[in-house]
Amino acid sequence: MSFPSDFLWGGAIAANQSEGAYQSDNKGLSLVDILPSGQHRIEALHHPRKALNTTYDYYPSHEAIDFYHHYPEDIKLLAEMGFKVFRTSISWARIFPKGDETTPNEEGLRFYDQLFDECLKYNMELLITINHFDTPLYLVEHYGGWRNRKLIDFYLHYAETILERYKHKVKYWLTFNEINMMLHLPFFGGGLILEEDEDHNQVKYQAAHHQLVASSLAIQSGRTINPDFEFGCMLAAGEIYPYRPHPSDVLKAQQENYEQYMFIDVQAKGVYPWFTERLFQDKNVQLSMEKGDEQILQENTVDFISFSYYSSRLTSADPEILQNETHGNAFSTLKNPHLNASEWGWQIDPTGLRITMNSLYDRYEKPLFIVENGLGAKDSINENGTIEDNERISYMRDHLVQIEKAINDGIPVIGYTSWGCIDIVSAGTGEMKKRYGFIYVDRDNQGGGSGQRIRKKSFYWYQEVIRSNGEFK
Ligand code: BG6
């Protein structure tokens, strides 16, 4: 046994990291459009109020890789690799520039019609994220983002508009990208600007509840719009290991894993898990639910479990050990002495992917879809114009080996979309030089460069992987 014959090989990007054209054809601003790059971006993500009041020299999302104008050429390259599926997101602010309008922006809708037609021309399935870190800025400033229950209605109206419009073009839908990001980078995840004098946990869990209800309502509507739609949840995954075999570390790791699964438990099983009451007590959270919420969650669960996987993580119950945690990224972790790390400190753990898949399948018994995985690394162009990204190839090869093993163990896996299949702006740092792609885009961290697309060595490697249905790795 190996990869199933209908395995969906492909790649993924997101609107806000690729499209650019941030004000074209009536698009409104989304929250990423006020984020700078580099160290300023990391600060801005943690202090969005300050970012709102600051003018920066450069905003990477404004032009990104100009996918908005380059998509025919870019999709053609993806088709040349043999992509069976392409994952991107729809920019909410292209469809509803402020977010609370009743009438959608036809020009925005037309763009995605054209983009999707281009993919369908090459027989690529579409996997579309309804909301990927880009809530319209107006909803952040005027409604407080997802802390406000009104966002459920705005999102639902947006979701129904696109589900209806693209019902004959798109089959696979993800309601929210990395829904657990609400707890880690709440500005990205929920358009939340947390004030110092408010209870952050209370706001974050309440906002997450609103997203969970919104997700279920979108699925409910989607099923009437087209019963063949397949809906997935999306988790920023990565098993958390105990630092030591000490039972207190093992217990802490187990509890942290449970906590990261919490929202997926709701989306996959339809109920908040058994430990919720204790967790909310510990965190002093009083969740406000409306009549009918529980039924909506229960009746509209997802069809498959999608997730991003970049790394495993490590924790300890010992506060002294925990002092060494790195906090540079969205997730904190201790350093695992058995693993190497990327230049950005992301620890490389292919076996961790299999462990994560085992946990997810064990818990939900629904098909898995790996919708993000890859290595963010610098690339350089050789004198002869080639890009030898051997490190990226071995990263992906090692992860594909583990996916194959998981499939052979008996886990149903729908597909694999590597992250940033064409170089895009990094979400976390806004840099261009943190590249994930098979296709190099000549843009630098300040927005300079010709924008030219160049096939890397990994392009030909992945082409062969797809052609051989994973036999060649
Ligand atoms: C995921 C996000 O968390 O990680 C993507 O869904 C993001 O949007 C990816 O790009 C990689 O992170 P980064 O910061 O390297 O771009």
Side-chain angles (χ1 to χ4, degrees):
M1 221 168 58
S2 187
F3 291 93
S5 57
D6 57 354
F7 191 77
L8 292 177
W9 295 99
I13 59 172
N16 77 80
Q17 291 168 254
S18 61
E19 288 175 4
Y22 80 114
Q23 284 182 312
S24 299
D25 300 329
N26 304 323
K27 178 184 170 292
L29 291 183
S30 75
L31 62 84
V32 277
D33 294 326
I34 61 144
L35 293 177
S37 71
Q39 198 49 39
H40 288 311
R41 185 175 183 102
I42 296 163
E43 278 162 29
L45 280 169
H46 291 286
H47 304 284
R49 165 82 56 219
K50 203 170 142 210
L52 264 179
N53 300 323
T54 308
T55 306
Y56 299 98
D57 297 341
Y58 175 59
Y59 297 90
S61 69
H62 291 191
E63 288 179 33
I65 60 159
D66 197 22
F67 181 70
Y68 194 75
H69 296 107
H70 280 262
Y71 72 87
E73 170 195 348
D74 294 342
I75 298 299
K76 190 163 178 235
L77 284 166
L78 303 182
E80 193 182 319
M81 270 187 281
F83 272 34
K84 313 256 185 256
V85 64
F86 175 55
R87 174 182 175 222
T88 188
S89 63
I90 292 179
S91 157
W92 186 347
R94 270 195 208 290
I95 311 302
F96 292 98
K98 293 199 306 190
D100 64 353
E101 299 92 334
T102 45
T103 312
N105 171 33
E106 180 56 31
E107 285 168 279
L109 288 168
R110 202 173 309 126
F111 167 69
Y112 292 104
D113 267 322
Q114 289 162 354
L115 169 62
F116 297 163
D117 286 345
E118 200 63 26
C119 296
L120 296 172
K121 188 167 112 186
Y122 298 106
N123 293 322
M124 271 180 225
E125 288 281 2
L126 286 154
L127 167 61
I128 297 303
T129 317
I130 297 176
N131 185 210
H132 190 129
F133 296 167
D134 61 355
T135 301
L137 189 62
Y138 186 87
L139 297 184
V140 174
E141 291 187 293
H142 295 265
Y143 292 89
W146 278 92
R147 73 174 69 218
N148 190 330
R149 201 177 159 104
K150 285 195 181 129
L151 270 270
I152 299 178
D153 297 332
F154 302 144
Y155 172 92
L156 184 60
H157 183 46
Y158 158 57
E160 285 176 341
T161 305
I162 57 175
L163 290 164
E164 180 61 41
R165 176 81 170 212
Y166 308 120
K167 66 181 170 196
H168 299 308
K169 300 187 181 182
V170 177
K171 175 167 179 184
Y172 297 95
W173 297 92
L174 307 180
T175 51
F176 288 93
N177 183 59
E178 298 188 334
I179 196 156
N180 52 326
M181 197 53 82
M182 182 72 83
L183 302 179
H184 305 277
L185 290 175
F187 187 60
F188 257 164
L192 296 182
I193 298 180
L194 297 171
E195 307 301 346
E196 268 173 30
D197 58 352
E198 66 182 343
D199 187 317
H200 292 189
N201 278 328
Q202 174 64 33
V203 180
K204 289 192 279 189
Y205 279 98
Q206 188 62 51
H209 177 70
H210 295 153
Q211 289 195 341
L212 291 168
V213 172
S215 170
S216 294
L217 286 170
I219 295 174
Q220 187 178 50
S221 292
R223 297 230 157 95
T224 54
I225 293 171
N226 181 351
D228 292 333
F229 281 157
E230 296 273 332
F231 286 96
C233 50
M234 184 352 186
L235 170 75
E239 190 81 4
I240 301 163
Y241 303 154
Y243 186 71
R244 308 164 300 173
H246 194 291
S248 61
D249 279 15
V250 178
L251 182 65
K252 177 134 188 283
Q254 187 180 46
Q255 286 175 333
E256 287 190 9
N257 277 313
Y258 286 173
E259 284 175 31
Q260 72 160 343
Y261 292 141
M262 179 175 190
F263 302 143
I264 303 301
D265 286 348
V266 179
Q267 291 182 291
K269 297 178 172 178
V271 281
Y272 276 91
W274 51 272
F275 55 84
T276 307
E277 212 178 305
R278 190 267 308 153
L279 184 81
F280 283 173
Q281 261 167 25
D282 289 355
K283 294 191 185 289
N284 211 9
V285 170
Q286 266 123 30
L287 203 65
S288 138
M289 283 212 202
E290 282 194 4
K291 204 164 158 261
D293 281 5
E294 280 173 316
Q295 195 181 345
I296 290 162
L297 297 176
Q298 183 125 43
E299 289 175 356
N300 303 287
T301 53
V302 293
D303 301 301
F304 62 90
I305 310 296
S306 90
F307 62 99
S308 59
Y309 176 83
Y310 294 92
S311 186
S312 54
R313 281 172 264 154
L314 214 51
T315 192
S316 171
D318 182 333
E320 245 176 70
I321 297 176
L322 222 48
Q323 274 179 7
N324 298 320
E325 263 191 338
T326 56
H327 296 284
N329 296 307
F331 299 98
S332 1
T333 179
L334 288 161
K335 194 166 162 19
N336 188 328
H338 305 286
L339 300 177
N340 293 325
S342 80
E343 224 180 297
W344 277 264
W346 293 27
Q347 306 187 72
I348 301 171
D349 181 11
T351 310
L353 172 55
R354 187 170 173 202
I355 296 168
T356 301
M357 291 173 77
N358 289 346
S359 294
L360 287 171
Y361 191 62
D362 193 34
R363 204 169 172 91
Y364 304 118
E365 294 185 325
K366 293 195 182 201
L368 304 185
F369 203 152
I370 300 120
V371 299
E372 283 188 33
N373 172 241
L375 178 71
K378 287 182 193 156
D379 286 318
S380 52
I381 308 181
N382 298 330
E383 276 169 18
N384 60 3
T386 58
I387 297 154
E388 309 267 326
D389 54 340
N390 295 313
E391 228 191 320
R392 180 168 299 108
I393 294 174
S394 45
Y395 177 101
M396 288 185 63
R397 176 188 293 126
D398 293 348
H399 284 77
L400 290 179
V401 166
Q402 297 301 323
I403 295 173
E404 190 172 29
K405 286 186 179 174
I407 292 173
N408 287 337
D409 285 342
I411 297 183
V413 184
I414 301 173
Y416 174 84
T417 58
S418 73
W419 180 247
C421 47
I422 176 167
D423 291 346
I424 52 175
V425 167
S426 153
T429 70
E431 294 164 296
M432 256 322 282
K433 71 174 181 200
K434 191 179 185 193
R435 297 170 182 275
Y436 288 86
F438 306 113
I439 302 162
Y440 184 89
V441 178
D442 181 26
R443 298 267 300 175
D444 62 28
N445 280 352
Q446 286 73 41
S450 66
Q452 191 198 347
R453 276 60 171 155
I454 305 169
R455 296 168 186 80
K456 303 182 195 176
K457 185 174 174 187
S458 59
F459 180 100
Y460 301 103
W461 171 81
Y462 197 49
Q463 187 178 50
E464 207 37 39
V465 171
I466 299 178
R467 194 204 52 74
S468 65
N469 198 33
E471 285 286 308
F472 173 91
K473 279 189 276 300

